[in-house]
Amino acid sequence: MHVVVLGSGVIGLMSAWYLREAGYQVSVIDRQPESGNETSFANAGQISYGYSSPWAAPGVPSKALKWLFEEHAPLKITPSPDKKLIKWAGKMLLNCQIDRYRVNKARMLALANHSQACLQSLKQKVKLDYQGRELGTLQVFRHQAQLKAVEKDMRLLEESGTRFQLLSQSECIQQEPGLASVEDKLVGGLFLPDDETGDCHLFCQQMTKRAKDNGIEFYFDTHINGLITEKDQVVAVSTDQGQIKGDAFVVAMGSYSTKLLEQLNIKIPVYPVKGYSLTIPIQDEAHCPTSTIMDESYKVALTRFDDRIRVAGMAELNGFDPTLPKKRLATLEHVVADLFPKGVDLSRADYWTGFRPMTPDGTPLIGATPYFNLYTNTGHGTLGWTMACGSGDMLAKIVSHQLPDHFQQDAYNLYRYD
């Protein structure tokens, strides 16, 4: 059986890997010259199992109104008559209720924890070097109200079996000594010891090589025009290089999955949530993070690579606008300069933007569509790399009709939005 995967970001790549491990012939199609060249290219560098949480949370609607008037707000919404955005935002607001938040976060944690096990198994089997570190994530709080608010998340983490520690101000400095000079700006933190870090683009490049060695075929520099169907099945992908036929097809094109599936009248609630990052050379290791620090006030992550740090965050609802505004750059620069004023050389920073494929409830879309041989693996939002291995494994099991009952496939596929 030949499975064709559309997209070679980290989600498409890991879908292909686990399908091949399940015994299928696999081909991957991507418009880029190499894998991981779009949303996976310069993401936050986090593999954040414990930080898996929906943006749709209690309190967000009122915060969003306040953020409209803040210079360095984590969420920006450009007023638009876009009906898709209005519908998506309406569904997101519904998911901000506490009961929906609990369900969605539990689903995300379950998938993230499964992904952790899959990645650990993968690293035992395949030698990889993507500047990875297994030193955890420290979520730092600047206000007592944030410490109080995290209590509900701690209960859900405990229920899911995720390890965590609530740290005092001084314990945060012990965990991340580079914060010592700004200790007075913090009131505490939540440490998630099992989280990992690394360069996602490097991971994709190395996994592509392993995938080729494992018999997976890649069609790079190949633009997808659409899917060719006969009755209730897809028979081929139309590309600028001709048709590519297969027995089953997986759409893993991130935010671009939405437009492709609309050609078949399949409407998925995935919207591009724009994020930004800076990649900055280190000039003083003693004043830099050793792993990932998440600044809760600005929703910005600072992640350590070998000789660089990646500063990433913010959510902007503005369609597929590729511009790099100076105001967003100023926010990222503000956070890194505020926490690590001596650590990096901002004059040498690389500025980047990407489109995260976000669902209204934060839970990705993995599995069936109305066409019996067409599947989706998209909608992971800010947690693509975190959930990639687990999502790929789950997708392969769905195609093979071997998904364990405890995963409840209907919790992750598009039909939950009907």
Side-chain angles (χ1 to χ4, degrees), residues 56 87-88 91-93 95 104 269-270 358-363 417:
K87 187 175 181 180
W88 183 91
K91 289 182 177 180
M92 182 179 178
L93 288 173
N95 278 283
N104 296 332
V270 171
M358 190 84 78
T359 61
D361 64 10
T363 312
Y417 290 101

Side-chain angles (χ1 to χ4, degrees), residues 108-409:
M108 295 171 74
L109 283 170
L111 180 55
N113 288 339
H114 176 58
S115 197
Q116 180 184 23
C118 290
L119 179 57
Q120 292 303 318
S121 178
L122 175 68
K123 289 193 293 187
Q124 290 176 8
K125 182 176 181 178
V126 178
K127 185 177 180 180
L128 299 168
D129 181 10
Y130 49 89
Q131 300 188 19
R133 296 180 175 220
E134 298 183 10
L135 300 175
T137 294
L138 176 62
Q139 182 182 6
V140 295
F141 306 117
R142 296 172 182 259
H143 309 289
Q144 289 294 335
Q146 294 170 337
L147 275 174
K148 179 66 176 176
V150 82
E151 291 178 0
K152 64 179 183 299
D153 285 342
M154 289 166 57
R155 289 192 292 271
L156 290 170
L157 289 170
E158 189 171 5
E159 291 171 6
S160 71
T162 303
R163 295 197 302 155
F164 65 90
Q165 295 173 262
L166 189 63
L167 303 186
S168 66
Q169 184 185 50
S170 61
E171 288 171 331
C172 287
I173 305 307
Q174 292 175 21
Q175 186 61 44
E176 283 286 358
L179 291 170
S181 64
V182 296
E183 182 176 359
D184 61 314
K185 296 181 181 181
L186 310 177
V187 299
L190 184 69
F191 180 55
L192 301 156
D194 297 323
D195 284 5
E196 304 177 37
T197 62
D199 187 321
C200 186
H201 184 249
L202 279 178
F203 175 85
C204 288
Q205 296 309 300
Q206 294 193 11
M207 282 305 303
T208 300
K209 184 179 185 304
R210 305 301 186 277
K212 289 179 177 178
D213 292 343
N214 202 23
I216 297 175
E217 185 175 14
F218 286 83
Y219 294 87
F220 289 121
D221 292 308
T222 302
H223 289 254
I224 297 168
N225 299 322
L227 296 167
I228 301 170
T229 63
E230 291 180 2
K231 297 182 180 180
D232 61 347
Q233 66 177 320
V234 177
V235 296
V237 182
S238 171
T239 79
D240 62 349
Q241 306 296 319
Q243 292 187 14
I244 299 174
K245 296 182 179 180
D247 302 302
F249 300 82
V250 178
V251 178
M253 296 168 58
S255 300
Y256 300 95
S257 303
T258 305
K259 185 175 181 180
L260 179 72
L261 290 170
E262 281 178 349
Q263 297 178 15
L264 304 183
N265 201 32
I266 300 173
K267 298 179 180 179
I268 61 172
V270 171
Y271 193 82
V273 177
K274 190 178 181 184
Y276 299 89
S277 77
L278 290 177
T279 305
I280 318 171
I282 290 173
Q283 64 180 13
D284 185 345
E285 290 195 11
H287 293 91
C288 280
T290 60
S291 188
T292 289
I293 294 173
M294 171 60 71
D295 189 328
E296 178 62 16
S297 295
Y298 298 99
K299 304 290 186 184
V300 168
L302 303 96
T303 298
R304 174 68 179 272
F305 297 160
D306 285 356
D307 58 355
R308 304 162 292 152
I309 70 166
R310 175 74 48 75
V311 185
M314 293 177 289
E316 184 171 355
L317 302 178
N318 193 21
F320 288 97
D321 175 13
T323 58
L324 293 164
K326 290 183 179 180
K327 288 184 177 180
R328 308 296 173 262
L329 172 62
T331 296
L332 296 177
E333 290 180 335
H334 169 75
V335 174
V336 68
D338 193 51
L339 293 180
F340 298 103
K342 302 176 183 178
V344 296
D345 183 358
L346 280 170
S347 68
R348 297 167 59 198
D350 291 325
Y351 187 24
W352 174 89
T353 188
F355 302 105
R356 311 177 186 110
M358 190 84 78
T359 61
D361 64 10
T363 312
L365 302 174
I366 307 170
T369 73
Y371 291 80
F372 79 85
N373 67 336
L374 177 64
Y375 304 87
T376 62
N377 197 357
T378 187
H380 297 75
T382 60
L383 296 162
W385 195 12
T386 297
M387 296 181 173
C389 291
S391 297
D393 178 68
M394 180 185 290
L395 186 280
K397 286 181 168 61
I398 290 171
V399 173
S400 303
H401 305 289
Q402 294 178 352
L403 186 69
D405 290 340
H406 70 268
F407 260 113
Q408 298 180 328
Q409 179 185 336

